[in-house]
């Protein structure tokens, strides 16, 4: 399906709906928060509306049935499990622990190590790598980089990670830190720019201007750091941030601009060059979120695929976040944040000079950390080297293009935007797209649901580069779509229906409550209830 054929009905409706909701004053980063902004007039209206007995009952009924659905999904397959609910009086033997552990690892229906899962695990069952990680972690798990004097070797490894990653992004100097993941990198960069704005420019109520497609971690950080978020719409054709809207959103209290390379939802790279220019013109720092693509985009040119400019070679770019625990294939728990200027990193640091426990300074959010995470990340980088990363990138981008081409040939679905790296988003104008993602779940696939517009995506990892996986995916999408098109108007059932329903609820705090239920359910073991 060509771009001109992308429908305007459902796609635009949902898209506009979101903006209407925001214009109506439902709060900008509200979907992530438990409550809408309390002083908001519309909130009171909806709150009142919701409290009407009939409405309340019908909303509550929907929430209850969705909650039950969610809980039963989480408990699936554990019906006969006897859970550990009390601390054992006596210690367990190693054999018993390992036996239990292996049983737990067998829970679940998704064959993540056979290519059935989007994102999540980026490496491809590389035995040599896994064994190396095991050995390295075994040798370093009890080290603590909070004490560089006690563990000088871990400190050096951490500094070397920053230098190696900085060299890939043409950073003028290797100014950065290692963090526990993308969310922490983003949190810290927001803190750095907020404090920079406050102490260097006297901005008291800072805001950040970010694409609506920027990762939810920005909203999370902004909420905690009390930074206002101005979400900027994207061009529905390209899914890249609308640069004119971004320009318009900037004001004298803007402390940072953000572009993604690529963005999580649809895999497009925002026009970083243009955002950089806006940053230069307005003297505002520009952060490039390359958490996802950080170990693909620097290698794409050499892997034979063109990529728009994204790094420190663009003068406006002042920081970049890169997750080493994604396409650098390090175990989970590491990411890197890089800055152009030392002053920005200074504002990232936390210093407490008056604490009776000593003068306390830390580069990131945590205090004590595991040196094992640093050591495994460091050795994953050395184990691959540039050559292997280029090779992995080539395989991943080739398979992404192959899947994209295959999907474009399947009638009644379309690609949302234009995949530029490793993510492919799928939508349709012919039926409820969550019926398709639900049908694929039944076939063993675990994909990511998207909203505004409705869709789902596949984030291609090394798992999908294995023989037959891409073709199996294409065949399943084709078969499921054909099956759905026999009766395109049937309602969606099961958990897949919750997404469609959630998009229709104007009061986003209702959706947030549903998420609370889900998160609560994650901590429940059946015998609790
Ligand atoms: C994964 C991701 C993040 C957040 O990273 P975590 O490691 O999950 O905390 C941020 N931005 C993008 C684009 C991502 O894909």
């Amino acid at each position: 399906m060509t771009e001109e054929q992308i429908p305007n009905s459902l796609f635009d409706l949902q898209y506009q709906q979101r903006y209407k909701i925001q214009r109506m004053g439902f709060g900008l980063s509200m979907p992530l928060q438990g409550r809408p902004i309390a002083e908001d007039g519309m909130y009171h209206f909806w709150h009142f509306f919701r409290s009407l007995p009939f409405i309340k009952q019908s909303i509550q009924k929907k929430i209850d049935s969705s909650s039950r659905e969610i809980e039963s999904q989480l408990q699936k397959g554990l019906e006969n499990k006897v859970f550990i609910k009390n601390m054992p009086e006596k210690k367990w033997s190693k054999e018993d622990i390992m036996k239990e552990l292996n049983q737990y690892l067998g829970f679940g229906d998704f064959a993540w190590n056979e290519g059935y899962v989007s994102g999540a695990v980026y490496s491809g069952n590389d035995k040599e790598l896994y064994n190396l990680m095991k050995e390295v972690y075994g040798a370093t798990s009890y080290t603590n980089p909070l004490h560089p004097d006690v563990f000088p070797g871990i400190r050096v490894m951490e500094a070397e990670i920053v230098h190696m990653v900085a060299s890939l992004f043409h950073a003028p100097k290797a100014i950065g830190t290692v963090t526990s993941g993308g969310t922490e990198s983003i949190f810290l960069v927001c803190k750095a720019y907020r404090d920079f704005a406050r102490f260097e420019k006297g901005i008291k109520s800072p805001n950040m201007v970010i694409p609506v497609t920027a990762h939810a971690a920005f909203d999370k950080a902004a909420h905690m750091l009390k930074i206002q978020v101005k979400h900027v719409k994207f061009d529905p054709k390209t899914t890249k941030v609308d640069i004119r809207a971004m320009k318009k959103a900037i004001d004298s209290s803007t402390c940072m601009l953000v572009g993604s390379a690529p963005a999580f939802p649809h895999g497009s790279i925002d026009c970083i060059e243009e955002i950089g220019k806006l940053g230069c013109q307005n003297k505002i720092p520009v952060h490039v979120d390359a958490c996802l693509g950080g170990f693909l985009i620097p290698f794409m040119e050499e892997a034979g695929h063109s990529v728009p400019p994204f790094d420190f070679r663009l003068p406006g770019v002042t920081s970049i976040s890169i997750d080493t625990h994604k396409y650098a294939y390090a175990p989970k728990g590491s990411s890197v944040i890089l800055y152009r200027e030392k002053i920005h990193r200074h504002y990232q640091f936390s210093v407490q000079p008056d604490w009776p426990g000593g003068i306390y300074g830390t580069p990131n959010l945590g205090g004590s950390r595991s040196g094992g995470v640093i050591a495994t990340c460091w050795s994953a980088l050395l184990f691959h080297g540039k050559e292997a990363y280029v090779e992995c990138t080539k395989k991943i981008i080739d398979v992404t293009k192959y899947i994209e081409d295959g999907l474009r040939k399947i009638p009644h679905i379309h690609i949302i935007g234009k995949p530029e790296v490793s993510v492919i988003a799928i939508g349709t104008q012919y039926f409820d797209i969550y019926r398709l993602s639900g049908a694929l779940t039944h076939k063993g696939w675990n994909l990511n649901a998207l909203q505004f517009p409705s869709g789902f995506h596949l984030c291609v990892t090394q798992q999908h580069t294995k023989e037959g996986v891409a073709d199996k995916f294409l065949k399943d999408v084709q078969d499921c779509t054909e099956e759905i098109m026999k009766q395109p108007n049937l309602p969606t059932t099961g958990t897949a229906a919750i997404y469609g329903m959630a998009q229709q609820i104007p009061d986003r705090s209702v959706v947030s409550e549903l998420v609370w239920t889900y998160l609560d359910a994650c901590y429940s073991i059946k015998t609790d209830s």
Side-chain angles (χ1 to χ4, degrees), residues 181-184 186 215 217 262-264 289 291-292 323 325-326:
T183 300
E184 194 190 356
I186 287 168
H215 196 276
F264 175 83
D289 180 11
C291 279
L292 185 62
D323 284 358
H325 67 194
K326 287 179 180 159

Side-chain angles (χ1 to χ4, degrees), residues 491-504:
T492 309
T493 53
T495 5
I498 295 175
Y499 250 90
M501 184 203 74
Q503 276 180 95
Q504 310 301 324

Side-chain angles (χ1 to χ4, degrees), residues 44 102 108 159 297 300 443 485:
H44 288 304
N102 285 320
I297 49 175
M300 276 176 68
K443 287 191 180 283
M485 281 307 290

Side-chain angles (χ1 to χ4, degrees), residues 246-276:
M246 181 169 249
K247 186 175 175 180
K248 259 178 140 170
I250 297 172
D251 63 31
S252 58
S253 292
T254 302
C255 73
M256 64 188 285
L257 307 178
V258 172
S260 309
F264 175 83
H266 319 110
S268 56
I269 301 178
D270 286 320
C271 29
I272 307 296
E273 201 163 354
E274 302 285 323
I275 300 173

